[in-house]
Each structure stands twice: as structure tokens, then as C-alpha cells.
Amino acid sequence: MKRVRLLTFNAALGVLDYSLPKGMQVEPGSVVMAPLGPRQVMGIVWEADRLPANEVPDAKLRPLLEVLPVAPLSAPLRRLVEWTADYYCAPMNAVARMVIASGGALKGPATMTEYRLSGGTPERLTPQRLAAIEALEGEQATMRELAAIAGVSEGVLRGLANQGVIEPVTVAIDRRFVPANPDFEQPELTDDQRAVADRLIEAVRTRQFAPFLLDGVTGSGKTECYFEPMAEAIRMGRQVLVLLPEIALTENFLFRFEQRFGAPPVQWHSSLKSTERRRAWRAIAQRPDQGGAQVVVGARSALFLPYADLGLIVVDEAHEVSFKQDDGVRYNARDVAVMRARFEAIPVVLASATPALESLQMAESGIYEKLDLPARFGGAQLPHIDTIDLTQEKPERGRWLAPRLVAALEDRLARGEQSLLFLNRRGFAPLTLCRNCGYRFQCPNCSAWLVEHRLSQRLACHHCGHETRAPDVCPECGEPDCLVACGPGVERIADEVAEILPEARLAIATSDTLNSPERAAQFIHEAENGAIDVIVGTQLVTKGFHFPELTLVGVIDADLGLEGGDLRAGERTYQQIAQVAGRAGRGSKPGEVLIQTRHPEAAVIAALAHGNRDAFYAAETEARRHAGAPPFGRWAAIIISSEHEAEARQAANRLGDTRPHLDDLVVLGPAPAPLSLLRGRYRYRFLVNARRSVELQKIITTWLGTQQFAPGVRVNIDIDPYSFV
Ligand code: ADP
Ligand code: ZN
């Protein structure tokens, strides 16, 4: 009898042994169904010597039920799952779940129904029906998609279907994606760009692990450069993964990709419908020469998909913190991308104008190869940067824009050029209070203020999503008309611009307003076509966008990100402001950046104003070295939480009593986390700081392993944390 070890998708049981029935064939990586009590559980066949389990006697083993019709997960992918689980102290089956990210994909081929015009005419042709029919010319999609295209309800279309004007078509869900053509439209690269592209092409051909840091100023053509090795991988019949930090950036990328390769890439992100998910998943699991996906562009979760033959990974805007996942498996996609490239023996490109300090350090120590693009494409100059000292040049009372910034805005409007105002705060005001009694609106589930969103007339918690209507009277003292908004958000800045420049066409660009690919696409279209004069936006508009007429960038509050004790606050501020500054003057006209601050002398602000990136990074590196912070030392956060304050506190204190005492490791805490209440759970936090040489994960898992926690207590481990709340 043959014994098979299974990594099951049952979180509590994890690893189980089964017997292999006669006639069934499996290999490591096979995805199978197995019996579990009266039910069934999915699992992945694993090498027994890599995965410890309680040895069950042969006689007690139950037979596997079925092998699912998908290719076995490759050895490099299995190693990645093991590494990720080990490194981030996460259960292996939670990581494996990210691989098997589409239940539908495991079911084998299937069909679905789409609709299209049949060529017939309806009995009664209303203007609405006529418009719908015109809009649907040449389209074929699901009813819901057609309704969106035609801008009518599904009911209208069903009416047309009943009359035979629209007909159903049965299509395979997993139909092939249109192939990309590596030679569709090749740009002429500058000498600098050519050198970078050639080096990357060579690396793709070599088929070996090779990590690159592509360090190019904003507007230098990093995208054009990494398109070339992508084209080479496509020619070789291999697959490419491009990770982008934000869905809002995807539209822009898709557009450029299609211009270069003549067809869209395969997309992977959280808002795919389940049929799109399974189609993408199955295409990814297939080699391109058999009709599989060539290029996949996606959010961080695309990193764990079962690529049939990956040849290159690109991480664009690699410094972005949104590559860090802060729930479930708390991994950093930038780091995992490098590990995947290593297991797959392929090159990986981290592209950024403001690399993470960790990445620069890796380049410095020779582990990453650094490729530089020091100049903007087409002779465009980097913008001129100046600070506005808010303690000297004060905005008018109740306003947020200093006179010099107002004058600059007026000037651009008069010249027909675009301006961008950056404030990393959604909504109208971050805090609302009662003038009469001092009551402050707070989230009932979190220790956080409610943010006023005037556009949607709501008060919202940005941590848990709690929302209420903005009331007319104070809920505490009952006084009417006594609520005051404190501090600005983007909506308030937009109001101020509308007052100062009533004729300016305004757009607010945040995750609230650009919350779908369509809206993002529309915004890009309008901005590119000069239909917007002033953009007011959050970090969403700091990267990726290329608006040639944009010549002024105003940073409303450069000090905002420096508040709070975040280890990376300085670096993040530098990156955000340098990136948003990089939106200015990308076309033929020179750009200007005005940074409002109360601390023009702060190292990060001074470095920005003087364009002295090296000085900033050098100072920051020294500070980190001194503090034993990454990349020189390591941090881990452990959060103990419960719905009951006392339970959380006691569990944290008890854990604190058994803390490890070691030379090269310090355990700080427990202390109430800065967000001491989040989504109705009370939180206590430990911070562990260790030397690089310490086996941090092993020490933490051993320490926590000695503890029994009450069922209501949750323990989260965050290795290399980015969020310190
Ligand atoms: P980055 O990502 O480095 O900020 P982009 O790749 O967005 O820069 O390039 C900036 C702009 O310059 C884009 O509009 C891009 O199409 C254009 N560009 C860059 N290199 C070339 C080239 N070799 N030929 C034509 N256009 C280019
Ligand atoms: Zn909340």
C-alpha cells in the first residue's frame, strides 16, 4: 500500500496521511480530495520528508477520493509555499489557499452564456431601445456586462432578448486570451534605456536567478525598459508576471501594454468575477504554447498563482507599502517576489524612482544588480522644488493654501496648464467636534475619530468601515448647528480651490472617487485631454500617472506623514513627496513643486527641496543602523486581541511573563497598541527587535508555542511589520 502525505485545507488539522487507491496516480503537487470524517477536504500532495505529521498506522489510513483535473503544483511553487509559511510564521495551508485562489478553476472545463445582437429589430423601437442597440453593436458579454455597456437596466435587455433581438451564445469560460505580440510596436529607446533593456533581456535568456533594482527618476521610461525583457520572455514562450501596487494604476498600465503588445494582458485582482478568476487561473496554469497566459498583471496576490512556466517577474513602484499584506498571511510581496524568482531560477526587476532603503542596501551589498536611469525621457527636466514655511507664509484664516501656492494656481489656470494638490487624507475633515460641549465623533468599534465625508454626507471610520449619517444636532448635548470640522481632507481643499478659482474644473482623486476601473479610466482620460484644471488627490495620484500638461504640484501638508512613531515615517514621506513631485513637468513645459511645511529644516524636507536624495538616504541609513532597524536589524510585532479588554490584557501579560531573555533580542511590551481598539477587539502589542543573526521566527514560534490562549484570544505575528498601529 502506498502512503500519501497531504497538506489539507483544514486549518486545524493541517497535515494528514492517506492511502493511494489502486489505479489512482499522484505526484507531489497533485491537488486531491480526501475524506475527513463524514465530509471531504481538499489537499495538496506533499513530499513526506518535508512535512512532519503524526504517523498513523497503515491500517488506519483512509483512501484518497479523487485527483482534481489541474496540473500538479510545481516544485518551485511548493518551495515558495514552505518558505512563506516559515518566514512569516503563517500556517502552510493558509499560504496554499492563496495558490488555489479559484474554487471554480479546479472543476475542469465549463461553459457560460453570453449575449449579442441577433440582427433582428424589435416590434416597438423606443429611443431607449434604439440607443441600447446602437451601443451593443459588435459586443458580446453577459447580460450584466451588456447592461453596463449600453447604460440601461438588465430588464431592458431581457425585453429585447424575449423579442429575439438579443440572442444567447454558449461560450467556454476558459476561452483563450488574445495573444500578445512581442514585436507589435517597438519604441526607439535612448542609449541609457537601451543599456538597461539589453541587460534585462540577457538575464531573461540566461534562465538564472537574477535580482535587479531598476532605479530611474520619475519619467525616465522605466516601463518602456522593462517591456523589452517582457517581450523577450514572450518570444521564448515563457510567462511574465507584473505586480502593481494599486488597481487604480492598472488602467494606465493596460493602455500602455496594449499599445506596445497589441493585446491586453491577463489581469488578476480582487474585483474579478468568479468566472474571470477561474479563466485567468486556468490560463496561468497553462504554458503559452498551449494557449496559456503570457503576461499577467496583478495585485500582490498574483504572486502565488501556479504559473506553468514563469520567465520573469517585474515589481513596479516596488517601494510601495501596499505590497505588504496586513491581514491573513502578513507577507511583503516585494520580498516574496524575489524569493519566487529564486526558486524559479529567473530574473526579477524591482522598479522605482524612490527605492526602499532595504532594496538600496541589497544593491549596495552586491546582492541586487542596480540599473540606473538618471534622466527623464525626451529632455524633460525634473521639476523645481521649493518649500513654503507655513509659520512665515500663513494661509488666510480658516484656509489651508498659502498665498504663494494660491498665486501659482492662478497662474497655471491663466496659462491653461494643470495643477495637482496632494494631501494624503480622504474626506472633508479628519475630526468633527461639538463647539458647545466638546463632544468628538468617535468610531464605536475602533479607537479612531470618524472622518467626515461631505460628498456622501457621512461620517466614516477608515479602519473598520463603520458609517453614520452626519447628524444635524450634537448627539451629546442636543445643540443644533454646533458641529465643527477640524483639519482638512481633500474634499475641503477642493472646496477652497472652488472658492478661490470658481472657474477651474476640479477633480478629487481618491479611493472613494476612483473606486472602479471605469472611473479610473475616465479620470485618466479627462486629465489627459485637459478637461481638468486642478486635481486634488491622496497618495493614489502620486505615482504612475503621466499628464504632460501638469506643471504645478502643491503639497498641502508635508509634515502629516512625519507624525506618529512609525519607523519608516521619514522614508515614506520622502517617497510620497518625491513621487508626487515627479508628476510635474513631464511634458515639454517645466514643472514646479511647492511644499507647505512647518518644519522646512527637517532632514527629509530639506533633502527634497535640494533634490539631494543621496544625502537623505545616507542619513536615514545611519539612523536605521543606529536603531538596529531594518535592514540592519529585524522587527516583529505580536498583537494579542480579544473582544474583552481584560482578557486581552491578561493574555498579553501572561505571555510577557514567559518572554525569552536573549543577548541579541529585545522584547518590548506588552503595551496597548496605538489603535487599542480595532473592529471591536482590544489590542495589546509586543515589539521584538533582534539582530540579523538571530533566528527570529523560531524564537517567536517557540515562545508562543508554550502558551495556551483562551478561545476568544487572537494572536497575530507580523514579521518585518510596516504598520505600527
Ligand atoms: P517612469 O515609469 O520611469 O516614470 P514612463 O515609463 O512612464 O516613466 O515614461 C515617461 C513617458 O515617456 C511615457 O509617456 C513614455 O511613454 C515616454 N517614453 C519613455 N521612453 C520612451 C521612448 N524610448 N520612446 C517613446 N516614448 C518614451
Ligand atoms: Zn472603526
mmCIF file of all heavy atoms in Angstrom, residues 692-712:
data_model
loop_
_atom_site.group_PDB
_atom_site.id
_atom_site.type_symbol
_atom_site.label_atom_id
_atom_site.label_comp_id
_atom_site.label_asym_id
_atom_site.label_seq_id
_atom_site.Cartn_x
_atom_site.Cartn_y
_atom_site.Cartn_z
ATOM 1 N N ARG A 692 20.287 40.674 13.025
ATOM 2 C CA ARG A 692 20.017 39.879 11.829
ATOM 3 C C ARG A 692 20.380 38.408 12.026
ATOM 4 O O ARG A 692 19.790 37.525 11.428
ATOM 5 C CB ARG A 692 20.827 40.419 10.647
ATOM 6 C CG ARG A 692 20.300 41.709 10.084
ATOM 7 C CD ARG A 692 20.622 41.805 8.606
ATOM 8 N NE ARG A 692 19.810 40.868 7.844
ATOM 9 C CZ ARG A 692 18.586 41.145 7.445
ATOM 10 N NH1 ARG A 692 18.030 42.293 7.712
ATOM 11 N NH2 ARG A 692 17.903 40.260 6.770
ATOM 12 N N SER A 693 21.386 38.163 12.869
ATOM 13 C CA SER A 693 21.887 36.802 13.022
ATOM 14 C C SER A 693 20.919 35.907 13.804
ATOM 15 O O SER A 693 21.030 34.691 13.787
ATOM 16 C CB SER A 693 23.233 36.854 13.743
ATOM 17 O OG SER A 693 23.078 37.586 14.952
ATOM 18 N N VAL A 694 19.954 36.524 14.474
ATOM 19 C CA VAL A 694 19.055 35.756 15.335
ATOM 20 C C VAL A 694 17.988 35.051 14.507
ATOM 21 O O VAL A 694 17.479 35.598 13.542
ATOM 22 C CB VAL A 694 18.380 36.718 16.345
ATOM 23 C CG1 VAL A 694 17.256 36.039 17.083
ATOM 24 C CG2 VAL A 694 19.416 37.265 17.296
ATOM 25 N N GLU A 695 17.664 33.823 14.907
ATOM 26 C CA GLU A 695 16.574 33.121 14.227
ATOM 27 C C GLU A 695 15.249 33.572 14.819
ATOM 28 O O GLU A 695 14.632 32.888 15.641
ATOM 29 C CB GLU A 695 16.737 31.622 14.371
ATOM 30 C CG GLU A 695 17.828 31.063 13.486
ATOM 31 C CD GLU A 695 17.801 29.544 13.486
ATOM 32 O OE1 GLU A 695 18.452 28.945 14.350
ATOM 33 O OE2 GLU A 695 17.108 28.971 12.626
ATOM 34 N N LEU A 696 14.848 34.743 14.386
ATOM 35 C CA LEU A 696 13.711 35.433 14.978
ATOM 36 C C LEU A 696 12.434 34.586 14.970
ATOM 37 O O LEU A 696 11.764 34.440 15.997
ATOM 38 C CB LEU A 696 13.507 36.739 14.199
ATOM 39 C CG LEU A 696 12.405 37.671 14.658
ATOM 40 C CD1 LEU A 696 12.669 38.149 16.070
ATOM 41 C CD2 LEU A 696 12.328 38.885 13.728
ATOM 42 N N GLN A 697 12.113 34.026 13.805
ATOM 43 C CA GLN A 697 10.853 33.290 13.693
ATOM 44 C C GLN A 697 10.812 32.093 14.633
ATOM 45 O O GLN A 697 9.793 31.816 15.261
ATOM 46 C CB GLN A 697 10.643 32.801 12.252
ATOM 47 C CG GLN A 697 10.291 33.915 11.279
ATOM 48 C CD GLN A 697 11.509 34.566 10.652
ATOM 49 O OE1 GLN A 697 12.616 34.525 11.212
ATOM 50 N NE2 GLN A 697 11.325 35.180 9.497
ATOM 51 N N LYS A 698 11.953 31.394 14.731
ATOM 52 C CA LYS A 698 11.995 30.198 15.561
ATOM 53 C C LYS A 698 11.778 30.562 17.026
ATOM 54 O O LYS A 698 11.034 29.910 17.747
ATOM 55 C CB LYS A 698 13.357 29.521 15.381
ATOM 56 C CG LYS A 698 13.301 28.031 15.532
ATOM 57 C CD LYS A 698 14.485 27.411 14.839
ATOM 58 C CE LYS A 698 15.033 26.245 15.641
ATOM 59 N NZ LYS A 698 16.371 25.900 15.120
ATOM 60 N N ILE A 699 12.423 31.646 17.435
ATOM 61 C CA ILE A 699 12.289 32.070 18.832
ATOM 62 C C ILE A 699 10.845 32.461 19.135
ATOM 63 O O ILE A 699 10.285 32.079 20.169
ATOM 64 C CB ILE A 699 13.245 33.247 19.109
ATOM 65 C CG1 ILE A 699 14.687 32.751 19.027
ATOM 66 C CG2 ILE A 699 12.957 33.875 20.463
ATOM 67 C CD1 ILE A 699 15.722 33.846 18.958
ATOM 68 N N ILE A 700 10.240 33.175 18.209
ATOM 69 C CA ILE A 700 8.858 33.613 18.446
ATOM 70 C C ILE A 700 7.903 32.420 18.468
ATOM 71 O O ILE A 700 7.067 32.304 19.365
ATOM 72 C CB ILE A 700 8.420 34.628 17.365
ATOM 73 C CG1 ILE A 700 9.177 35.948 17.582
ATOM 74 C CG2 ILE A 700 6.918 34.874 17.425
ATOM 75 C CD1 ILE A 700 8.897 37.003 16.537
ATOM 76 N N THR A 701 8.025 31.519 17.510
ATOM 77 C CA THR A 701 7.078 30.394 17.498
ATOM 78 C C THR A 701 7.286 29.502 18.725
ATOM 79 O O THR A 701 6.317 28.991 19.285
ATOM 80 C CB THR A 701 7.178 29.550 16.209
ATOM 81 O OG1 THR A 701 8.541 29.510 15.787
ATOM 82 C CG2 THR A 701 6.349 30.124 15.097
ATOM 83 N N THR A 702 8.532 29.340 19.154
ATOM 84 C CA THR A 702 8.769 28.533 20.352
ATOM 85 C C THR A 702 8.136 29.204 21.577
ATOM 86 O O THR A 702 7.454 28.567 22.375
ATOM 87 C CB THR A 702 10.291 28.374 20.599
ATOM 88 O OG1 THR A 702 10.895 27.955 19.380
ATOM 89 C CG2 THR A 702 10.562 27.370 21.685
ATOM 90 N N TRP A 703 8.370 30.503 21.684
ATOM 91 C CA TRP A 703 7.816 31.267 22.807
ATOM 92 C C TRP A 703 6.289 31.161 22.836
ATOM 93 O O TRP A 703 5.681 30.816 23.848
ATOM 94 C CB TRP A 703 8.277 32.725 22.672
ATOM 95 C CG TRP A 703 7.693 33.696 23.626
ATOM 96 C CD1 TRP A 703 7.250 33.459 24.904
ATOM 97 C CD2 TRP A 703 7.499 35.096 23.389
ATOM 98 N NE1 TRP A 703 6.795 34.620 25.475
ATOM 99 C CE2 TRP A 703 6.940 35.640 24.561
ATOM 100 C CE3 TRP A 703 7.764 35.929 22.308
ATOM 101 C CZ2 TRP A 703 6.620 36.994 24.665
ATOM 102 C CZ3 TRP A 703 7.452 37.269 22.417
ATOM 103 C CH2 TRP A 703 6.882 37.798 23.587
ATOM 104 N N LEU A 704 5.659 31.445 21.706
ATOM 105 C CA LEU A 704 4.194 31.426 21.673
ATOM 106 C C LEU A 704 3.660 30.008 21.823
ATOM 107 O O LEU A 704 2.563 29.792 22.338
ATOM 108 C CB LEU A 704 3.674 32.037 20.371
ATOM 109 C CG LEU A 704 4.005 33.510 20.149
ATOM 110 C CD1 LEU A 704 3.354 34.035 18.889
ATOM 111 C CD2 LEU A 704 3.556 34.343 21.336
ATOM 112 N N GLY A 705 4.466 29.025 21.385
ATOM 113 C CA GLY A 705 4.034 27.635 21.446
ATOM 114 C C GLY A 705 3.862 27.138 22.870
ATOM 115 O O GLY A 705 3.141 26.176 23.125
ATOM 116 N N THR A 706 4.521 27.783 23.826
ATOM 117 C CA THR A 706 4.407 27.343 25.219
ATOM 118 C C THR A 706 3.105 27.811 25.858
ATOM 119 O O THR A 706 2.787 27.433 26.972
ATOM 120 C CB THR A 706 5.557 27.922 26.070
ATOM 121 O OG1 THR A 706 5.446 29.354 26.043
ATOM 122 C CG2 THR A 706 6.908 27.517 25.545
ATOM 123 N N GLN A 707 2.362 28.656 25.168
ATOM 124 C CA GLN A 707 1.181 29.284 25.770
ATOM 125 C C GLN A 707 -0.116 28.629 25.332
ATOM 126 O O GLN A 707 -0.239 28.195 24.193
ATOM 127 C CB GLN A 707 1.123 30.758 25.340
ATOM 128 C CG GLN A 707 2.241 31.590 25.864
ATOM 129 C CD GLN A 707 2.054 31.921 27.323
ATOM 130 O OE1 GLN A 707 0.975 32.314 27.728
ATOM 131 N NE2 GLN A 707 3.094 31.742 28.105
ATOM 132 N N GLN A 708 -1.057 28.585 26.260
ATOM 133 C CA GLN A 708 -2.422 28.222 25.903
ATOM 134 C C GLN A 708 -3.237 29.503 25.930
ATOM 135 O O GLN A 708 -3.247 30.189 26.946
ATOM 136 C CB GLN A 708 -2.996 27.249 26.947
ATOM 137 C CG GLN A 708 -2.445 25.834 26.874
ATOM 138 C CD GLN A 708 -3.085 25.050 25.743
ATOM 139 O OE1 GLN A 708 -4.065 25.494 25.150
ATOM 140 N NE2 GLN A 708 -2.516 23.893 25.423
ATOM 141 N N PHE A 709 -3.896 29.829 24.851
ATOM 142 C CA PHE A 709 -4.718 31.034 24.847
ATOM 143 C C PHE A 709 -6.198 30.660 24.893
ATOM 144 O O PHE A 709 -6.599 29.646 24.332
ATOM 145 C CB PHE A 709 -4.446 31.867 23.586
ATOM 146 C CG PHE A 709 -3.059 32.437 23.552
ATOM 147 C CD1 PHE A 709 -2.070 31.845 22.773
ATOM 148 C CD2 PHE A 709 -2.731 33.548 24.320
ATOM 149 C CE1 PHE A 709 -0.789 32.357 22.744
ATOM 150 C CE2 PHE A 709 -1.448 34.067 24.292
ATOM 151 C CZ PHE A 709 -0.472 33.468 23.504
ATOM 152 N N ALA A 710 -6.979 31.494 25.583
ATOM 153 C CA ALA A 710 -8.425 31.276 25.617
ATOM 154 C C ALA A 710 -8.977 31.379 24.197
ATOM 155 O O ALA A 710 -8.386 32.045 23.349
ATOM 156 C CB ALA A 710 -9.079 32.319 26.522
ATOM 157 N N PRO A 711 -10.109 30.717 23.941
ATOM 158 C CA PRO A 711 -10.644 30.692 22.569
ATOM 159 C C PRO A 711 -10.930 32.086 22.006
ATOM 160 O O PRO A 711 -10.825 32.299 20.798
ATOM 161 C CB PRO A 711 -11.958 29.915 22.709
ATOM 162 C CG PRO A 711 -11.882 29.209 24.010
ATOM 163 C CD PRO A 711 -10.918 29.935 24.882
ATOM 164 N N GLY A 712 -11.242 33.044 22.859
ATOM 165 C CA GLY A 712 -11.566 34.380 22.369
ATOM 166 C C GLY A 712 -10.350 35.236 22.062
ATOM 167 O O GLY A 712 -10.483 36.358 21.576
#
